Amino acid sequence: MATWKIDPAHSEIEFKVKHLMITNVTGHFAQFDATVTAGKDDFSDATISFDADVNSISTKNAQRDEHLKSPDFFDAPNHPKLTFTSTGVEKKDADTFVLKGDLTIRGVTKPVALNVEYSGVTIDPYGQTKAGFELTGKINRKDFGLSWSATTEAGGLVVSDEVRLIAAVQIIKQA
C-alpha cells in the first residue's frame, strides 16, 4: 500500500457558479490538504481524504469573498473546513474513473460522485514520483445549507444553485 500527499504548489481546487445566469464566477481554495492510499498502480483501489480551509477562498473580489465566508454561505467561523472522504472508486477504462465519497460543507454531509481523468505517473527532476488527475463534478449548494439567494429586478437569480467543481491535482508518493 502506497501513501501519496497532494502537491499544493501544482494543484488547483476550483468551483464555478453562474452569476446573473449569464456568466460564471470562478473561485478557488488556496489552502488544502489531501492524502491518497492505493495498493494498485492504476489507483482503482484508492482511498482519499481531502480538506480545504474555507478562509482561504478567493474569487478575486474581497467583498464577495467575505460574503462567502459569512453565515449566508460557508459560515467559516463555525465551519472552517470543507471535507471529502472517498467511499469507492469505479473504473470506467484505463484513464477514467468515478470517485464516490462524502462531501461535508457547513456540517452537512452528502454523497457526491466526481468524474476523474487519470493523467499518469512520472518522476520529476528531483526524483519524486508524481501522479496527476483532473476531477470534475456538480453539486447543488442548497443541499449543503448555502441557501442565500437574491433575484434581479427582472426576476432572474443572482447566483445559481448548481456549483461546478474542478480540480487539477498532482500527488507525490511518500517514501
Side-chain angles (χ1 to χ4, degrees):
M1 191 68 66
T3 300
W4 303 70
K5 292 293 284 178
I6 197 166
D7 180 355
H10 298 103
S11 298
E12 298 174 347
I13 309 301
E14 296 182 331
F15 59 91
K16 291 185 182 288
V17 179
K18 284 252 187 231
H19 182 254
L20 300 177
M21 308 317 289
I22 57 172
T23 57
N24 286 306
V25 169
T26 300
H28 75 275
F29 293 96
Q31 302 292 320
F32 48 85
D33 190 29
T35 302
V36 177
T37 56
K40 295 183 179 178
D41 289 342
D42 68 357
F43 294 92
S44 61
D45 65 342
T47 58
I48 296 110
S49 63
F50 168 85
D51 66 68
D53 179 353
V54 171
N55 285 299
S56 75
I57 199 167
S58 175
T59 62
K60 299 181 183 174
N61 179 295
Q63 184 177 353
R64 179 172 48 222
D65 295 347
E66 288 308 310
H67 191 202
L68 288 171
K69 295 174 195 176
S70 80
D72 284 345
F73 288 97
F74 286 99
D75 193 13
N78 294 308
H79 304 284
K81 295 215 179 272
L82 63 85
T83 63
F84 174 85
T85 304
S86 66
T87 57
V89 177
E90 180 184 338
K91 187 172 182 174
K92 296 290 190 181
D93 59 42
D95 301 326
T96 310
F97 302 83
V98 174
L99 174 62
K100 295 180 180 178
D102 293 325
L103 179 63
T104 302
I105 301 173
R106 268 186 83 118
V108 176
T109 303
K110 298 282 183 183
V112 297
L114 302 172
N115 297 310
V116 180
E117 197 173 303
Y118 174 45
S119 303
V121 173
T122 192
I123 301 200
D124 74 8
Y126 306 101
Q128 297 176 308
T129 302
K130 293 188 170 184
F133 303 88
E134 297 275 339
L135 297 90
T136 58
K138 293 178 184 176
I139 61 168
N140 184 317
R141 67 184 177 88
K142 288 186 174 178
D143 289 347
F144 296 91
L146 284 74
S147 57
W148 180 88
S149 190
T151 54
T152 65
E153 285 185 19
L157 287 175
V158 173
V159 179
S160 69
D161 292 342
E162 182 181 275
V163 179
R164 290 185 291 145
L165 308 174
I166 306 107
V169 175
Q170 269 188 35
I171 56 176
I172 307 168
K173 190 173 189 177
Q174 304 300 291

